Amino acid sequence: MNVEIDSARLQFEIDHLASISENPPPVVTRVLFSEADLRARKFVQGLCRDLALSLREDAVGNLFARWEGSQKLPPVATGSHIDAIPNAGKYDGVVGVLGAIEAIRALQRAGFRPQRSIELIVFTAEEPTRFGIGCVGSRLLSGVLPPGKAATLRDRAGKSLEAWRKGAGYDGQLDSVPLAANTYAAFIELHIEQGPVLEKENLSIGVVEKIAAPSTLRMQLTGVGGHAGAVLMPERRDALTAGAEIALAVETAARTSGSPDTVGTTGVFQIQPGAVNSVPFAALLEIDVRDTQITTRDATLEKIEAAAAEICDRRGVRLEQERLNVDPPAACDAGLVQSIAEVCRKTGATYRKMISRAYHDSLFMAQICPTAMIFIPCRGGISHRPDEFASPEGIAAGVQVLAGVLATAASRSAR
Ligand code: GLV
Ligand code: MN
Ligand code: MN
């Protein structure tokens, strides 16, 4: 079978999707259920319809596009996300969605007939921008996020997931979202590496064996505001300076965890009222802590929480802290890892096995089916920035490997 990737067409689609953004180019911002996110979903659905895939959307907006196989067996799934954090680039998630569509198109052009159905999944809200936790769609599908708990998710303005999804036209029951065990025979996600390893080593493909463990803390600090001229320093109960000390404690805890893989980031720091002549009376912090090892990640979280309590106590600032998510790492399926490596060898793609420091919907799909990821290089390892870049050739190499792995998995009649 001669599977040829149409790189020019795929690049055109990537560029077009990037133009559907809340900000002017080159910035891509597509926050969950924004007007841009809803338009982007329509664009992807149109591409799926052109391939005669059958479409289904669930109550949280996960999209399933199926190429029907000749046998009634659990399908092979692939996919990723098209939501994008504020000030993002074109490739994060998108390569795994549009790349999967091109893989299916290329297999169709080559005359391939799947025995197992091949299903593309476009996951809702892989990015945590709206609700503070990432992978809302795959958490729900996998049962990691119970529907009752999902219904309580709120954005920073207090608007609920329920209100957001219903406003976007998704008004089914959240209870219907979790998938039964054995729904899928396999899940394979194509993604940019978002790190420097493949480029540095001049390799085409990363075969992911493990995904690092993410976690998120949210801290609401309430101090006492007042006139910047009139409130003297001994009287200050400044929420911003308490938050600033906490942000430094995050950095110290991550740097001194004993694990080179611990990373800590205070990515959200909002103050009120935000006026130059007013003492900040409130601060909201969202803190991201990750590690490949759960023990050092958890110890770091505890250190940060204890430091925050001590800092706020000392400064007379009220602290409410919440763990939004604390997830274990995921191991990829050894059989799928081997299958990706075999396809690389057959197609002549250079590869190495690696870990993913970023999280992905695969972290949660791995809980319900054999899962693995195919990484491709991105320039300078840069991601979550408008200058994120993956070359058309690099993307085509990843899509070629994805097509090969999907074809192999969809041809296996035994589970
Ligand atoms: C995913 O976008 C992550 O933050 O790892
Ligand atoms: Mn991302
Ligand atoms: Mn991503």
Side-chain angles (χ1 to χ4, degrees):
M1 186 175 56
N2 189 21
V3 182
E4 278 186 33
I5 307 306
D6 187 341
S7 178
R9 178 172 181 172
L10 176 54
Q11 190 59 48
F12 176 81
E13 290 167 354
I14 291 171
D15 291 342
H16 182 75
L17 190 49
S19 75
I20 306 176
S21 167
E22 296 169 54
N23 294 112
V27 175
V28 180
T29 301
R30 262 193 314 267
V31 180
L32 173 70
F33 296 150
S34 60
E35 183 274 331
D37 179 43
L38 297 178
R39 249 188 321 135
R41 287 164 183 258
K42 292 268 173 299
F43 171 63
V44 170
Q45 285 168 12
L47 296 179
C48 293
R49 281 202 194 92
D50 292 346
L51 296 183
L53 307 181
S54 50
L55 299 186
R56 167 175 94 83
E57 284 179 296
D58 69 15
V60 79
N62 290 311
L63 170 70
F64 305 83
R66 180 178 288 207
W67 182 10
E68 211 60 60
S70 59
Q71 296 185 24
K72 291 244 161 304
L73 290 164
V76 175
T78 181
S80 195
H81 62 100
I82 56 167
D83 65 322
I85 65 162
N87 203 43
K90 294 183 190 177
Y91 302 92
D92 176 5
V94 166
V95 163
V97 172
L98 297 181
I101 290 173
E102 176 55 27
I104 291 172
R105 234 171 3 216
L107 288 169
Q108 291 186 347
R109 282 194 299 264
F112 178 72
R113 295 278 172 270
Q115 289 178 302
R116 288 178 189 279
S117 298
I118 295 179
E119 190 152 296
L120 166 70
I121 311 177
V122 185
F123 295 95
T124 276
E126 192 267 354
E127 300 292 7
T129 314
R130 182 78 72 203
F131 296 110
I133 60 167
C135 302
V136 172
S138 51
R139 275 178 200 274
L140 267 162
L141 287 176
S142 63
V144 169
L145 177 63
K149 179 108 193 284
T152 68
L153 287 178
R154 289 186 181 275
D155 67 14
R156 292 186 204 113
K159 182 168 167 180
S160 66
L161 170 63
E162 288 305 272
W164 272 108
R165 74 181 178 94
K166 287 177 184 165
Y170 300 103
D171 49 12
Q173 294 291 321
L174 279 186
D175 288 356
S176 61
V177 174
L179 296 172
N182 302 329
T183 298
Y184 293 113
F187 176 71
I188 304 118
E189 180 172 4
L190 173 67
H191 206 283
I192 57 168
E193 181 200 338
Q194 303 181 287
V197 176
L198 293 174
E199 186 186 62
K200 268 193 193 140
E201 297 184 8
N202 197 23
L203 297 171
S204 301
I205 299 291
V207 188
V208 176
E209 290 187 295
K210 187 178 178 187
I211 305 171
S215 61
T216 316
L217 302 176
R218 184 182 275 169
M219 297 188 186
Q220 181 67 57
L221 277 57
T222 313
V224 177
H227 195 288
V231 184
L232 294 179
M233 298 316 282
E235 309 308 320
R236 294 279 171 117
R237 292 162 68 186
D238 182 327
L240 180 145
T241 48
E245 250 197 85
I246 293 172
L248 292 175
V250 169
E251 197 178 57
T252 304
R255 280 186 198 275
T256 59
S257 75
S259 155
D261 295 328
T262 313
V263 284
T265 308
T266 303
V268 172
F269 195 150
Q270 294 177 344
I271 57 159
Q272 289 185 62
V276 69
N277 54 354
S278 181
V279 178
F281 69 84
L284 174 77
L285 277 67
E286 285 178 6
I287 297 161
D288 179 306
V289 181
R290 315 181 189 205
D291 202 329
T292 51
Q293 297 171 59
I294 207 159
T295 44
T296 37
R297 195 277 314 269
D298 287 352
T300 306
L301 279 180
E302 280 163 25
K303 250 195 225 167
I304 293 169
E305 288 166 331
E310 185 279 319
I311 291 162
C312 289
D313 193 42
R314 173 162 42 79
R315 289 175 165 271
V317 168
R318 186 156 60 86
L319 169 68
E320 292 158 85
Q321 44 178 336
E322 189 187 352
R323 292 183 168 197
L324 294 182
N325 67 291
V326 180
D327 300 300
C332 291
D333 179 74
L336 281 178
V337 165
Q338 202 182 329
S339 169
I340 297 170
E342 262 165 37
V343 172
C344 288
R345 285 194 289 271
K346 268 196 211 139
T347 57
T350 54
Y351 72 95
R352 62 164 282 164
K353 295 181 183 172
M354 62 191 304
I355 62 158
S356 170
R357 295 181 185 279
Y359 60 71
H360 304 282
D361 294 300
S362 289
L363 186 70
F364 298 98
M365 292 305 284
Q367 306 246 351
I368 53 166
C369 66
T371 293
M373 294 190 73
I374 300 167
F375 272 179
I376 57 162
C378 56
R379 187 176 62 200
I382 288 167
S383 185
H384 284 183
R385 279 172 35 180
D387 54 343
E388 180 179 83
F389 177 78
S391 71
E393 305 73 42
I395 296 170
V399 174
Q400 186 86 51
V401 172
L402 176 65
V405 176
L406 291 176
T408 307
S411 303
R412 277 197 196 120
S413 46
R415 206 189 139 89

